Amino acid sequence: MGKNVTIYDIAREAGVSTATVTRVVSGHPSVKAETRDRVQRIIDAHAYAPSAAARDLERGQTHTIGIVMPAVTNPYFTRIYDTTYDEAEANGYYAWLFQIAERQPIPASLVDELIRRRLDGVIFAGGIWSTARSGLSEALVRLKHHMPVVAICPPATELDCICIYSDLVSCSRLPVRHLHALGHRRIAFIGGSMQLKDSSKRGENFLQQLRALDLPDDPAYHVDCGYDAESGERAVMRMLSRLERKRWPTALIAFNDLMALGALKQLKQMGLRVPEDMAIIGCDNQFFCPYTDPPLTSVDLHPEDMARSAVRELLFARENSGQSFSLMREASLIVRESCGAKLGYRKLG
């Protein structure tokens, strides 16, 4: 044999199965003495050493975790994946990415694949883990028989797993109260969908903040339309075209920074100045926020912190089985020029 002797070479020469070779290497007592001696002589003759991967499989470990999320074309999800990969690697693990299209059921084939790969755990992130998604409960029940599960999403009684999430109340409270302190009274919210349970939480919290401050919660100031930059453009056109100029909001809060980016473009095309004519605040604090015109004020949900926590809790659960729980991360408002903070307080009506 050559230098790169494999477990298959040892098994073939000894006339036994690879499972028997593995049991000899691990010292398993179920191997007959005669067989053990024969296999061991061949192992010694070739100075065979089993790979770490083979040892891990025998112990039921692969040192690999899975992360399931929507398409990583959204920079927010890219940040979660990159941090998950780095944190896993720092702890001696690999991270494999699995993607599911938005609003599609969780396929049984995905669950089969996660189990087949004998992963040490799986993290679900984003709307992929919506409590309204078909196949969710069945997937969770099956997976929990084989591995720990962590979800980066708001907690829900339907989710019997560890949940890491950002404070969606402060996600709405921070921008609304900031704009209110600057003199804004007509504040609009664009993006997401009130029909989807998880994304509707931001819209519901936005309305609660308006009512708490005795501000108008005119339905015309709440436009469901999606999550990307084009949706931001459409939301601005749809809302402003339906309102008299005197009823236009003086400030917009976007579901995320991609929507805010589209809104900035549309407002500029309509001849409106930001923030003089209309202030705008996004959410996610993406890398491009300091470089927009004007620089975009945004709520930072700290996805990197959530991803690191998810990996650590997953690995802890791998060694210490315990009950499900939820862990909340605070959000922060990153103030830049688009909100009009430099203009100070203005009586805007």
Side-chain angles (χ1 to χ4, degrees):
M1 296 185 197
K3 291 184 179 180
N4 297 322
V5 178
T6 70
I7 190 172
Y8 301 102
D9 297 324
I10 300 297
R12 184 167 51 253
E13 184 172 336
V16 298
S17 67
T18 55
T20 298
V21 177
T22 299
R23 284 193 286 270
V24 171
V25 171
S26 64
H28 200 284
S30 66
V31 184
K32 293 180 179 179
E34 180 184 348
T35 303
R36 182 186 303 280
D37 292 341
R38 182 171 74 255
V39 173
Q40 190 62 55
R41 284 196 299 272
I42 296 172
I43 288 174
D44 293 341
H46 296 291
Y48 168 72
S51 69
R55 290 194 300 269
D56 288 341
L57 281 171
E58 176 66 17
R59 297 170 186 149
Q61 295 178 321
T62 59
H63 283 274
T64 303
I65 63 174
I67 177 166
V68 183
M69 60 169 55
V72 292
T73 50
N74 186 323
Y76 177 80
F77 295 119
T78 303
R79 291 164 68 186
I80 289 179
Y81 173 72
D82 287 346
T83 304
T84 298
Y85 185 93
D86 291 342
E87 185 66 23
E89 188 175 53
N91 285 277
Y93 285 73
Y94 296 103
W96 282 345
L97 175 64
F98 301 84
Q99 293 181 271
I100 303 179
E102 286 282 6
R103 304 186 186 182
Q104 296 300 311
I106 295 178
S109 59
L110 171 66
V111 179
D112 292 340
E113 182 68 9
L114 294 172
I115 294 172
R116 185 188 70 79
R117 290 178 180 270
R118 302 173 71 177
L119 302 179
D120 290 301
V122 61
I123 296 171
F124 284 78
I128 208 69
W129 201 240
S130 168
T131 56
R133 187 182 292 271
S134 174
L136 171 62
S137 58
E138 295 85 352
L140 184 57
V141 169
R142 288 188 61 201
L143 287 171
K144 289 195 67 178
H145 282 300
H146 299 272
M147 65 190 72
V149 178
V150 174
I152 300 179
C153 74
T157 55
E158 301 95 326
L159 301 182
D160 183 20
C161 64
I162 298 170
C163 290
I164 312 293
Y165 68 104
S166 55
D167 182 4
L168 295 183
V169 174
S170 63
C171 180
S172 298
R173 182 182 65 246
L174 291 170
V176 170
R177 295 191 176 239
H178 180 73
L179 291 169
H180 180 265
L182 292 174
H184 295 276
R185 298 297 179 264
R186 299 194 304 276
I187 305 172
F189 182 89
I190 59 173
S193 172
M194 292 297 282
Q195 305 304 314
L196 297 177
K197 184 173 180 180
D198 292 335
S199 70
S200 68
K201 292 182 185 295
R202 290 195 200 179
E204 292 168 358
N205 290 332
F206 165 75
L207 293 175
Q208 290 173 4
Q209 293 303 315
L210 293 184
R211 292 160 188 161
L213 295 171
D214 198 26
L215 297 176
D217 58 352
D218 190 327
Y221 291 173
H222 194 150
V223 183
D224 291 7
C225 59
Y227 308 93
D228 57 13
E230 184 180 348
S231 297
E233 292 183 80
R234 290 200 311 269
V236 169
M237 287 189 293
R238 188 184 306 169
M239 178 174 56
L240 299 188
S241 65
R242 295 174 180 174
L243 294 170
E244 296 179 71
R245 181 66 183 254
K246 64 181 181 181
R247 288 186 58 210
W248 281 8
T250 60
L252 300 177
I253 296 175
F255 186 89
N256 61 31
D257 292 333
L258 289 177
M259 289 207 65
L261 199 61
L264 281 170
K265 177 183 176 182
Q266 184 59 35
L267 290 171
K268 185 175 182 180
Q269 288 180 338
M270 297 175 70
L272 296 172
R273 300 168 301 161
V274 176
E276 291 83 358
D277 298 322
M278 196 171 296
I280 186 165
I281 295 179
C283 184
D284 293 340
N285 194 34
Q286 297 290 5
F287 70 91
F288 54 76
C289 290
Y291 307 105
T292 58
D293 182 22
L296 182 63
T297 296
S298 183
V299 178
D300 195 341
L301 301 179
H302 304 291
E304 291 87 356
D305 290 344
M306 290 192 289
R308 278 188 286 268
S309 294
V311 173
R312 292 168 186 171
E313 294 300 337
L314 190 72
L315 298 183
F316 183 81
R318 178 70 179 81
E319 303 297 332
N320 306 272
S321 59
Q323 295 183 343
S324 302
F325 63 89
S326 299
L327 180 63
M328 184 182 74
R329 295 296 184 188
E330 296 288 342
S332 305
L333 182 67
I334 309 302
V335 177
R336 300 186 181 93
E337 283 85 341
S338 72
C339 65
K342 287 187 176 181
L343 301 177
Y345 177 83
R346 295 180 295 158
K347 192 172 182 179
L348 296 164

